Amino acid sequence: MITGDAAYIKKLNRSLILSQIIEYNKISRADLSKVTGLNKATISVQVSDLLEEQLLIEEQYEHNNLGRRPILLSLNRKAGYALGIDLDKDQILFTLSDLLGFPTHIEIVPLQTKDYNEIVDILVEYIIEIKKKCQGSTFGLIGVTVGIHGLVSKDEKILFFPHLKWRNKNIKSDLVNKADVTVFIENNANLTAFAENVFKHNKSSNLISISMHSGIGLGMMMNGEIHKGFHGYAGEIGHMIVVPDGNNCACGNQGCWELYASESSFFKQLEENYQRTNADYYDIHTWLKMGKPDVVEQMEQLIKYISIGLNNIINMYNPEIIVLNSELLRLSPNAITQIERRLNSNINHYSKLLISELGKQACVMGACALSIKKFLQISELNLQITMNRTL
């Protein structure tokens, strides 16, 4: 039994109640008492407070049976909004969501500069504009979470952003001071893993997600929490060396995994080896269906190097679920089968290997979800969104 002062117990009960209301979407007070194990008096007091705060709404359940219609509770999803930002090397993706993680506004801003101050000014401009859009809601913009494609410390400072050549930047402080909002800074791969856990694999206690777009990053979820390592830098698996004395990497080493197994490296190699310039995902999908030998060969090389890295990761972490976030792999119907054929070591153990359904939206979805979790002060968050994926 959990014991402690009254305020602490009340906070725990509030967290539990909100988590269950979100998970069930709509639930009666009586059922809420059953699933939480809290008595009806506690439920009544907490729900009354949450209704007064306008975090909850209630509605009568329509049914044809005799008797009183039950009143169902649900989260007031329009009470506030969360902003997720994916800051990549050549673009910034802004996604605004309601309190259930559903996107309400999306903007993509191309980057023409690597200058830190210029990019901060761009971020501030858009944050302030989006903040204005939320003023009509009860809580307004509840938080901004920025996904960084680089090393982020536990105190949310950027140690190194390889593609933008940033070192030791306190972007959180700059955004808070200039935009006057609550800000969280997190590694993009960690946010991607968090999104997989929140939206798709909530019951998993051991999940890793590998983002494979502009580089390669590893996010790890253990018992519902992001595993960050001692300083916060765990997961920089893209800079694991897979080819000794290989190609030069922006990190300063040679032969890093992301130079051979990321999507950006795939397109670069396709251009260098076969002169296929300005190719996009639709082109790749078309060429693979046509069986173009050069593209098929390049895909086989990609899968080969992905498998090399995965062998190392599985042996290190023994994960339950492995999610590969790659649009290219999604275009190849036999990709998972081909990869699994190469994971044939007797000491390789994992439960499930799959391709992400969230795709490039995963980082901003995780960013929005993190702001929501922090705002609601809950220990578990289980959101549900149906993805509509097309090429």
Side-chain angles (χ1 to χ4, degrees), residues 35 46 69 100 102 104 155 180 237 242 281 304 326 333:
V35 299
Q46 289 275 2
R69 292 181 295 175
L100 288 179
F102 282 79
T104 61
D155 59 359
D180 190 26
I237 207 71
V242 296
Y281 294 115
K304 170 189 171 182
S326 168

Side-chain angles (χ1 to χ4, degrees), residues 37-283:
L38 300 174
N39 62 50
K40 293 181 179 180
T42 299
I43 294 292
S44 179
V45 171
Q46 289 275 2
V47 166
S48 177
D49 289 345
L50 291 167
L51 286 169
E52 186 175 348
E53 294 172 35
Q54 298 184 47
L55 265 179
L56 296 185
I57 55 176
E58 54 184 356
E59 59 182 291
Q60 286 194 320
Y61 176 66
E62 296 293 336
H63 68 97
N64 297 322
N65 299 330
L66 296 175
R68 184 178 179 181
R69 292 181 295 175
I71 296 176
L72 300 183
L73 301 166
S74 60
L75 188 73
N76 182 4
R77 62 195 302 167
K78 297 181 180 180
Y81 296 87
L83 178 60
I85 300 175
D86 183 359
L87 175 56
D88 207 342
K89 62 179 181 179
D90 52 11
Q91 70 172 32
I92 309 174
L93 173 60
F94 297 86
T95 296
L96 187 70
S97 82
D98 63 23
L99 292 184
L100 288 179
F102 282 79
T104 61
H105 180 77
I106 297 174
E107 282 193 60
I108 300 176
V109 180
L111 274 183
Q112 308 295 333
T113 179
K114 293 184 179 181
D115 183 79
Y116 174 77
N117 292 319
E118 290 180 17
I119 291 177
V120 167
D121 287 343
I122 293 171
L123 290 170
V124 170
E125 178 186 350
Y126 277 86
I127 290 171
I128 290 175
E129 190 61 33
I130 291 171
K131 183 180 176 182
K132 292 177 183 177
K133 297 177 184 294
C134 306
Q135 288 178 344
S137 61
T138 304
F139 297 98
L141 184 61
I142 56 130
V144 177
T145 299
V146 185
I148 300 295
H149 293 240
L151 296 178
V152 178
S153 65
K154 283 188 174 179
D155 59 359
E156 300 180 68
K157 295 178 181 177
I158 300 174
L159 177 71
F160 183 41
F161 196 144
H163 293 296
L164 296 182
K165 306 296 183 183
W166 293 354
R167 291 184 182 273
N168 302 315
K169 299 296 185 183
N170 192 349
I171 195 171
K172 175 172 181 170
S173 177
D174 291 335
L175 293 179
V176 170
N177 292 335
K178 293 183 177 183
D180 190 26
V181 289
T182 300
V183 176
F184 306 102
I185 308 298
E186 186 56 86
N187 170 266
N188 73 298
N190 286 343
L191 292 175
T192 297
F194 186 64
E196 295 291 346
N197 192 241
V198 167
F199 292 98
K200 291 294 179 181
H201 307 284
N202 192 260
K203 303 305 178 184
S204 173
S205 60
N206 190 315
L207 175 147
I208 66 173
S209 170
I210 303 173
S211 302
M212 315 181 78
H213 302 292
S214 59
I216 295 183
L218 172 71
M220 295 176 280
M221 296 296 300
M222 296 183 179
N223 298 316
E225 297 294 332
I226 299 172
H227 176 70
K228 298 185 179 183
F230 182 70
H231 292 103
Y233 307 144
E236 287 300 319
I237 207 71
H239 299 287
M240 166 178 60
I241 296 173
V242 296
V243 180
D245 301 319
N247 297 332
N248 293 321
C249 182
C251 77
N253 274 328
Q254 292 176 283
C256 292
W257 191 31
E258 68 177 39
L259 299 180
Y260 300 88
S262 67
E263 294 193 351
S264 61
S265 70
F266 177 92
F267 285 108
K268 182 180 179 181
Q269 290 164 24
L270 199 63
E271 182 174 344
E272 291 178 353
N273 297 340
Y274 305 107
Q275 290 72 54
R276 292 190 180 273
T277 59
N278 300 318
D280 58 21
Y281 294 115
Y282 184 83
D283 293 327

